[in-house]
Amino acid sequence: MEKKKFDFNSVIGFALIFGIILWMMYNNQESNLKEQQEKAKKEKLEKQQKAKQQEVKQVVETLKDTTVNDTVKLQKLQGSLGSFAYSATLPSAKEDFTTIENEFLVLKIANKGAYIAEATLKNFKKFDKNSGQLVELIKNNNASFNLQLQTKDNRVLNTKDLFFTPEVTKVDGNQVLSMKLKVSENSFLEYKYVLKPNDYMLDFDVRSQGLNTVLNTGKPVDFNWDLKAYRNEKSITYENRYAEIVFEYEDGKDDYVSQGKDQEETPEKVTYIAYKQHFFSSILLTKTPFEKAALRSHDLVNDEDVDTTFTKEFKTSSALAFTNGELDYKMNWYLGPSDYKILNNYERNLDEIIPLGWGIFGWINKFIFVPLFGFLSTFMGLGIAIIIFTILIKIAMSPITFKSFLSQAKMKVLRPEIMELGEKFAKDPMKKQQETMKLYNKAGVNPMAGCIPALIQLPFMYASFQFFPSAIELRQKSFLWAEDLSSFDEIFKLPFRIPVYGDHVSLFPILAAIAIFFYMKMTSGDQAMAQPPQEGMPDMGKIMKIMIYLSPIMMLLFFNNYGSGLSLYNFISNLITIGIMLVIKKYFIDSDKIHAQIQENKTKPKTESKFQKKMREMMEQAEEQKKLNKKK
């Protein structure tokens, strides 16, 4: 009978299974505990909300009760509101609004909560210029501003539930609206709105007087500012792409909350918070920085065909600190267009909310594109301004374009000799590189000369991709068949949606794609001829053949939903480049003359540049190292 052996593998297997079971039981227990905690937390929150709603309901019912006098009402309200019960007994304690307006804005401020209940821009239409609907940044409770007050008798009150007393005056031509939440005639919390003529910027002060004996001043007052951004443009996809929260730190640096379904940032020392809606913005500025703020952005667009009312929901949570027992914050509120020139004039760094690009791209836009296009658009139609703007930019770039084409022509002339070197030193790549560099030096040709001009033009191309989507001047301005240069130029509505492309056909992207195709078709041969294939490097000829067709397709797909102004710019830009290229080839570049010049250059003594010397030394060192390795 065979003796049974101790099976160590079986023991390890059972131990692992036992460990996995224990781990699963532990995790299941932790999960159940977490669920119970979340459930208890949710139930507690719901209970608090119900209690708060009941409390508010009791306050409303008390206010409506006509069977009792003010003294009885005051006694009842004190049970819910404490010292702030006084404000609920005043004549202003009713659902009413106060309107202030200037040439640009109409604002309605609610007695209850003293926040802006409606903000209408008088000079802008939503969707299209014939819609008959003005742009309304705030309406139908899509926005709120609330301070949470903690009293010394342990009450938590929200200003959005309390009634303020309005008082309108005029000071130096400015409309001043004082909204006071009163504890007595001389003790109150005040929101003061100051609206100047011809201005989108409000002065907004929050201060308290005599409340140091009523409020718990040991901790700051929490405040919340929320806004659900209304859709105002034809393309919800395009508009939503540029809807975001931008904020500025005390040191002047700006940042933003990332795009996405649910995004959050918690910056410190914040001097302004901007809710940007592509072409319109709501901005809260403060002279006393917010110590810390929680900023949240929630994308509300789940289905572009269904969700067409709002784009994003923005939320800010922060706190206002007490100074000597009282609140005293000097703030501003901007409610208006996201116009670079208007925002820049305030000298509060607000122009940074316009996404003109970082680094050199932003400089090109700020110091070249914005002033030039602004100048042209003052005395001509926007479509013509884009064409003239494009012509001027391309003319300015033409010397660089000329150098690029000239370099390609020189490389094309040298190609047969370079190919000979390739065949001669096919088995010695290092030697081939050395001889090729010598040939370039003798001929006076810089192989990088064709790349550098192209690289110089790239920042201008990228800057245009930032500039045109941000140019509010294009909004609802028509040109030819395009009704709105800031949106797509639809010529045909599709009965279905194509992924990425959309549910319509835009004409300017088609024209731009055709122009790109012919431009690349005309230049791809020269570029391939100018760059002979190198060992270990991709074949540029094959790559260019692919790009001839890939670039127009990408233009069609991605630009179909972009603003037609950008597509018009790209169409004209490629047409002009084709024209410049034909002129240069016909009148300025002669292959025979270039060949003769190169042959003459070969006979002249040449001195190596530092770069060429360094490259030669590196190649020689690599060659020596190669020989040493072979000896070993």
Side-chain angles (χ1 to χ4, degrees):
M1 187 175 179
E2 187 180 351
K3 187 178 179 181
K4 290 184 179 180
K5 295 181 181 180
F6 179 74
D7 191 347
F8 189 71
N9 290 334
S10 296
V11 173
I12 293 174
F14 282 119
L16 287 172
I17 292 170
F18 182 70
I20 291 170
I21 292 171
L22 285 178
W23 178 78
M24 290 174 65
M25 291 173 64
Y26 173 77
N27 274 289
N28 188 51
Q29 187 177 6
E30 285 285 312
S31 178
N32 289 336
L33 181 62
K34 188 175 181 181
E35 285 180 6
Q36 290 174 4
Q37 290 174 343
E38 288 291 331
K39 186 178 179 181
K41 185 178 178 182
K42 186 177 180 181
E43 287 175 352
K44 183 180 178 182
L45 184 62
E46 288 177 352
K47 189 176 179 180
Q48 289 175 344
Q49 288 177 343
K50 285 181 180 178
K52 187 64 184 175
Q53 288 172 358
Q54 184 62 31
E55 189 176 278
V56 172
K57 185 179 178 181
Q58 288 175 358
V59 171
V60 173
E61 288 176 351
T62 302
L63 289 172
K64 290 181 178 179
D65 190 353
T66 58
T67 62
V68 296
N69 58 33
D70 289 345
T71 303
V72 176
K73 282 185 180 180
L74 181 60
Q75 290 174 350
K76 285 186 177 182
L77 292 169
Q78 282 175 339
S80 302
L81 305 179
S83 299
F84 288 96
Y86 175 78
S87 64
T89 63
L90 299 174
S92 57
K94 57 185 177 181
E95 299 282 355
D96 204 355
F97 303 90
T98 303
T99 301
I100 56 175
E101 67 176 292
N102 61 11
E103 293 78 4
F104 296 161
L105 279 171
V106 179
L107 302 175
K108 287 178 68 174
I109 290 83
N111 285 12
K112 189 176 183 180
Y115 57 83
I116 300 173
E118 291 185 15
T120 305
L121 305 185
K122 298 169 73 172
N123 300 322
F124 293 93
K125 301 285 179 62
K126 65 190 307 183
F127 304 132
D128 64 73
K129 58 187 176 183
N130 298 316
S131 69
Q133 304 176 63
L134 293 175
V135 169
E136 296 169 297
L137 299 182
I138 302 173
K139 69 170 183 176
N140 297 337
N141 299 315
N142 74 310
S144 67
F145 183 86
N146 177 64
L147 299 187
Q148 192 173 79
L149 307 175
Q150 297 193 28
T151 65
K152 288 187 180 294
D153 55 357
N154 296 320
R155 299 176 191 276
V156 178
L157 302 173
N158 293 292
T159 56
K160 65 180 181 180
D161 300 323
L162 304 174
F163 288 98
F164 289 65
T165 300
E167 182 184 358
V168 180
T169 57
K170 273 204 170 186
V171 179
D172 298 328
N174 302 328
Q175 295 176 71
V176 180
L177 172 59
S178 170
M179 303 291 293
K180 291 181 180 177
L181 175 61
K182 295 183 177 181
V183 170
S184 66
E185 279 303 312
N186 297 317
S187 299
F188 51 81
L189 172 69
E190 181 186 33
Y191 293 176
K192 186 165 72 173
Y193 298 90
V194 180
L195 181 61
K196 306 177 186 70
N198 298 299
D199 205 341
Y200 291 104
M201 184 80 78
L202 293 162
D203 291 343
F204 176 59
D205 297 346
V206 176
R207 73 180 189 97
S208 64
Q209 179 176 302
L211 296 187
N212 55 341
T213 59
V214 176
L215 297 178
N216 178 9
T217 59
K219 56 184 297 187
V221 173
D222 293 332
F223 86 83
N224 296 285
W225 175 37
D226 304 338
L227 183 138
K228 288 170 71 175
Y230 277 108
R231 175 189 174 190
N232 290 305
E233 311 304 325
K234 185 167 65 172
S235 172
I236 191 169
T237 306
Y238 199 44
E239 182 177 7
N240 202 31
R241 185 181 294 126
Y242 296 97
E244 61 185 354
I245 300 178
V246 184
F247 56 91
E248 183 190 58
Y249 294 102
E250 188 178 22
D251 61 5
K253 293 180 180 178
D254 61 279
D255 206 343
Y256 61 95
V257 178
S258 301
Q259 294 274 6
K261 192 64 182 175
D262 289 287
Q263 298 293 328
E264 182 174 349
E265 294 287 340
T266 54
E268 298 180 357
K269 300 288 185 182
V270 177
T271 56
Y272 74 65
I273 300 161
Y275 294 165
K276 185 176 177 296
Q277 304 172 227
H278 194 186
F279 287 129
F280 303 98
S281 295
S282 304
I283 310 172
L284 182 64
L285 306 95
T286 176
K287 293 181 181 178
T288 304
F290 303 134
E291 287 297 320
K292 190 172 183 179
L295 310 177
R296 301 176 188 87
S297 175
H298 175 62
D299 194 341
L300 299 174
V301 182
N302 296 314
D303 187 336
E304 294 174 4
D305 293 326
V306 177
D307 300 327
T308 57
T309 303
F310 300 103
T311 54
K312 287 189 173 71
E313 182 176 28
F314 303 127
K315 291 180 175 290
T316 294
S317 298
S318 190
L320 304 181
F322 286 95
T323 303
N324 299 323
E326 301 287 357
L327 291 175
D328 189 10
Y329 270 76
K330 304 292 184 185
M331 295 190 280
N332 297 94
W333 227 320
Y334 178 87
L335 299 162
S338 302
D339 188 313
Y340 177 84
K341 294 186 289 295
I342 292 174
L343 295 172
N344 189 47
N345 286 337
Y346 287 112
E347 298 183 348
R348 300 280 296 271
N349 212 31
L350 296 181
D351 56 286
E352 294 299 329
I353 76 167
I354 309 297
L356 294 178
W358 51 271
I360 189 172
F361 312 117
W363 299 339
I364 290 170
N365 276 324
K366 289 179 181 179
F367 303 117
I368 299 176
F369 283 12
V370 170
L372 177 59
F373 191 75
F375 170 72
L376 293 173
S377 62
T378 56
F379 57 88
M380 63 179 68
L382 272 295
I384 301 298
I386 291 174
I387 295 172
I388 301 300
F389 171 84
T390 311
I391 292 171
L392 293 175
I393 295 296
K394 298 307 290 185
I395 289 174
M397 292 282 104
S398 59
I400 297 172
T401 305
F402 174 75
K403 286 186 178 181
S404 179
F405 287 149
L406 181 61
S407 176
Q408 287 180 18
K410 288 180 178 179
M411 293 292 292
K412 186 177 178 181
V413 169
L414 278 180
R415 182 182 170 90
E417 295 182 54
I418 295 171
M419 295 294 287
E420 286 179 14
L421 291 175
E423 292 174 3
K424 185 177 180 180
F425 301 103
K427 295 182 180 180
D428 192 346
M430 187 63 68
K431 185 68 175 176
K432 184 180 75 172
Q433 287 290 340
Q434 288 176 338
E435 293 301 319
T436 302
M437 291 299 292
K438 286 180 182 177
L439 176 62
Y440 287 150
N441 187 39
K442 285 181 180 179
V445 174
N446 183 355
M448 296 300 293
C451 300
I452 293 173
L455 290 174
I456 292 173
Q457 293 183 72
L458 275 177
F460 285 84
M461 183 181 71
Y462 182 79
S464 71
F465 282 90
Q466 298 292 108
F467 171 72
F468 284 100
S470 301
I472 193 173
E473 298 95 328
L474 301 179
R475 187 177 185 270
Q476 295 178 2
K477 298 299 189 298
S478 60
F479 179 66
L480 299 178
W481 58 85
E483 295 179 354
D484 185 349
L485 286 167
S486 72
S487 188
F488 53 81
D489 56 315
E490 177 185 317
I491 58 167
F492 182 72
K493 185 77 172 178
L494 298 173
F496 49 83
R497 177 177 291 275
I498 302 173
V500 182
Y501 186 73
D503 61 355
H504 62 273
V505 176
S506 298
L507 183 53
F508 275 129
I510 295 174
L511 296 176
I514 293 171
I516 286 175
F517 174 79
F518 282 106
Y519 165 71
M520 298 197 72
K521 191 80 173 173
M522 294 171 70
T523 59
S524 59
D526 289 342
Q527 289 173 347
M529 288 292 288
Q531 297 291 337
Q534 300 289 327
E535 188 174 338
M537 298 296 288
D539 189 337
M540 289 303 296
K542 290 181 179 179
I543 293 175
M544 291 308 299
K545 285 180 181 178
I546 295 171
M547 291 304 295
I548 287 172
Y549 299 98
L550 184 60
S551 295
I553 291 171
M554 290 176 65
M555 169 64 73
L556 282 174
L557 287 176
F558 293 104
F559 278 65
N560 192 60
N561 289 296
Y562 266 69
S564 52
L566 179 59
S567 299
L568 172 61
Y569 170 82
N570 279 280
F571 170 54
I572 299 300
S573 178
N574 284 298
L575 280 184
I576 294 170
T577 304
I578 290 171
I580 290 174
M581 181 185 69
L582 292 173
V583 171
I584 290 173
K585 279 188 171 183
K586 186 172 183 179
Y587 297 104
F588 295 96
I589 293 180
D590 187 326
S591 296
D592 293 335
K593 286 184 179 180
I594 291 172
H595 184 268
Q597 183 64 51
I598 287 174
Q599 298 307 317
E600 184 182 340
N601 289 342
K602 288 181 181 179
T603 62
K604 296 178 181 178
K606 292 287 181 181
T607 56
E608 286 183 314
S609 66
K610 289 182 179 181
F611 174 76
Q612 290 172 330
K613 184 179 179 182
K614 187 68 176 176
M615 287 293 294
R616 179 178 57 77
E617 290 174 350
M618 287 172 64
M619 288 181 180
E620 289 174 353
Q621 289 172 7
E623 187 69 22
E624 289 296 323
Q625 187 64 43
K626 185 178 177 182
K627 289 178 181 178
L628 289 173
N629 291 337
K630 282 184 178 180
K631 288 179 181 180
K632 291 179 181 179

